[in-house]
Amino acid sequence: MEILSIDPVQPDKAILSKATEIIRDGGLVAFPTETVYGIAADATNPSAIKRIYEAKGRNKSKPILVLISHMDDLSCLVQYVPKRVERLMDACWPGPLTLVLPRASDCNVSRIACAGLETLALRVPENPAAQDLLTTFSGPIAAPSANISGSVSPTRADHISDSLLDKTDLILDGGPCKIGLESTVLDLTLDQPRILRHGAIPLENLIEKLGDIKEYNHSSNTEIKSPGLLRRHYATNQPLRLNAITAQPNEAYLAFGNCTSKNAAIVRNLSETGDLSEAANKLFLLLRELDMPKYESIAVAPIPNEGLGRAINDRLERAAVKS
Ligand code: TXA
Ligand code: MG
């Protein structure tokens, strides 16, 4: 395994060619996107996809998202693109929106990546290193988040766990991710669009563009359609206590805005000004920092359930589910 620094604005072509060769040979490359770090593999190569599942310890019934360099690359992968979805892609791509569409019968993405589903989850990333990697490779790249299944996603290269790094051939270190929270996953295979995972594009923005949108209901649905929907996910080692107005002296406190606690063993604020983008950006970083055995638990201030707050609360709620 090798670690190479890559300029996040003007990525070095020689480094990208090296990464591309590794991916062509069936290898795995950890790389930055604007949301979180991903693990890249050739989406058309079944053995490379199997390596991703093994490296992440991911259940084989859970499909993997695929990155493409431009919306024009969609036509040979999916059956159809409704007109209103074209407008949505124009507005949101490149960017943190993943669309689930029916896969074309001659789609060359490995069936293993789709976990047997007849659908494909696709997005065009905005980060220049991710974009240039896709154009140099010139094909679809499977890219789940670069974390062991069920744990917190990495927003910096040094957050990728050693056990995952050991199974990766190359790490491209492009510095901290701009957004720091995963993409929104939107299912477009039903009559009505449905959010499968809240993420960096808020529900309100999608409603503005598409009209009514359904939300996946965790409690009423026993079928797990998307692994990001597993109840326990993004898990910390120490327990989380949500909607905590104050903290105990043996607790770490994850504050938000002016909701903070003087008693806590340590206090970190997601955003002193109550800005949800800043909070989304710092969420995984601060959870990692506070997730120490010396603190009995992590108390978390209430976060407003609107805009990016929905995705933040979703991650916190699932991290808080007891194993
Ligand atoms: O921000 C992101 O999306 C990051 C960066 C690296 O691109 N990737 C990421 O990948 O979060 P992953 O595999 O950790 O999460 C992908 C989500 C999961 O919730 C998965 O269930 C869903 O996309 N997904 C993938 N393929 C699907 C499909 N065919 N149908 C429904 N959901 C799918
Ligand atoms: Mg993930």
Side-chain angles (χ1 to χ4, degrees):
M1 176 267 291
E2 191 180 3
I3 303 179
L4 293 175
S5 287
I6 188 156
D7 188 312
V9 183
Q10 275 188 310
D12 185 316
K13 287 198 169 48
I15 296 180
L16 291 169
S17 302
K18 185 178 174 124
T20 300
E21 256 167 56
I22 291 173
I23 297 172
R24 278 210 186 102
D25 287 347
L28 304 186
V29 175
F31 71 112
T33 80
E34 67 277 23
T35 58
V36 298
Y37 272 76
I39 294 276
D42 178 353
T44 67
N45 179 339
S47 56
I49 302 294
K50 277 191 196 146
R51 278 192 65 192
I52 289 196
Y53 279 100
E54 275 161 27
K56 279 181 62 87
R58 186 169 176 129
N59 190 307
K60 297 210 168 45
S61 66
K62 298 163 187 171
I64 290 179
L65 152 175
V66 172
L67 298 180
I68 51 176
S69 69
H70 193 269
M71 62 187 268
D72 293 348
D73 302 346
L74 263 189
S75 51
C76 52
L77 299 177
V78 301
Q79 278 173 28
Y80 56 84
V81 180
K83 266 274 166 276
R84 63 189 176 141
V85 174
E86 258 176 39
R87 287 196 293 272
L88 182 68
M89 292 189 300
D90 270 338
C92 298
W93 281 0
L97 179 66
T98 298
L99 301 178
V100 177
L101 289 159
R103 59 179 279 156
S105 52
D106 56 352
C107 167
N108 63 357
V109 169
S110 160
R111 291 221 162 248
I112 302 173
C114 302
L117 297 174
E118 290 303 321
T119 57
L120 206 54
L122 294 153
R123 105 176 165 91
V124 175
E126 186 225 295
N127 174 292
Q131 259 290 334
D132 290 3
L133 184 65
L134 282 158
T135 32
T136 317
F137 179 67
S138 142
I141 286 183
S145 50
N147 54 285
I148 298 291
S149 194
S151 60
V152 178
S153 300
T155 55
R156 295 168 188 232
D158 60 0
H159 289 170
I160 305 175
S161 71
D162 290 344
S163 52
L164 190 53
L165 289 184
D166 287 347
K167 292 170 185 138
T168 306
D169 301 291
L170 175 68
I171 292 101
L172 301 181
D173 184 348
C177 298
K178 197 168 96 182
I179 299 174
L181 190 72
E182 299 89 344
S183 62
T184 302
V185 181
L186 185 68
D187 184 356
L188 295 165
T189 61
L190 309 167
D191 289 342
Q192 198 181 6
R194 185 168 68 147
I195 288 209
L196 293 178
R197 176 177 74 182
H198 285 288
I201 303 266
L203 172 67
E204 291 86 340
N205 293 22
L206 296 174
I207 290 177
E208 229 172 69
K209 296 188 173 72
L210 287 180
D212 227 12
I213 291 184
K214 281 209 287 195
E215 286 179 72
Y216 186 89
N217 186 339
H218 291 275
S219 45
S220 76
N221 203 330
T222 47
E223 170 220 19
I224 301 290
K225 189 158 181 216
S226 210
L229 299 173
L230 287 175
R231 266 187 38 82
R232 183 168 162 80
H233 202 14
Y234 312 99
T236 46
N237 294 314
Q238 299 307 101
L240 288 194
R241 197 165 65 77
L242 304 185
N243 295 315
I245 308 289
T246 57
Q248 307 298 320
N250 54 0
E251 285 184 311
Y253 192 62
L254 189 58
F256 178 73
N258 52 18
C259 188
T260 184
S261 169
K262 289 199 176 69
N263 291 341
I266 180 173
V267 179
R268 288 285 178 270
N269 203 320
L270 284 167
S271 167
E272 281 176 12
T273 58
D275 177 53
L276 288 168
S277 312
E278 186 189 357
N281 187 268
K282 286 195 190 156
L283 177 70
F284 292 146
L285 180 78
L286 294 185
L287 277 180
R288 265 168 215 284
E289 189 185 331
L290 300 180
D291 191 15
M292 300 280 167
K294 63 181 168 187
Y295 310 125
E296 209 152 280
S297 50
I298 308 170
V300 186
I303 312 288
N305 207 34
E306 61 192 28
L308 286 174
R310 273 201 192 81
I312 297 173
N313 283 327
D314 165 79
R315 304 302 185 270
L316 287 169
E317 277 157 24
R318 283 191 283 146
V321 171
K322 296 199 174 57
S323 50

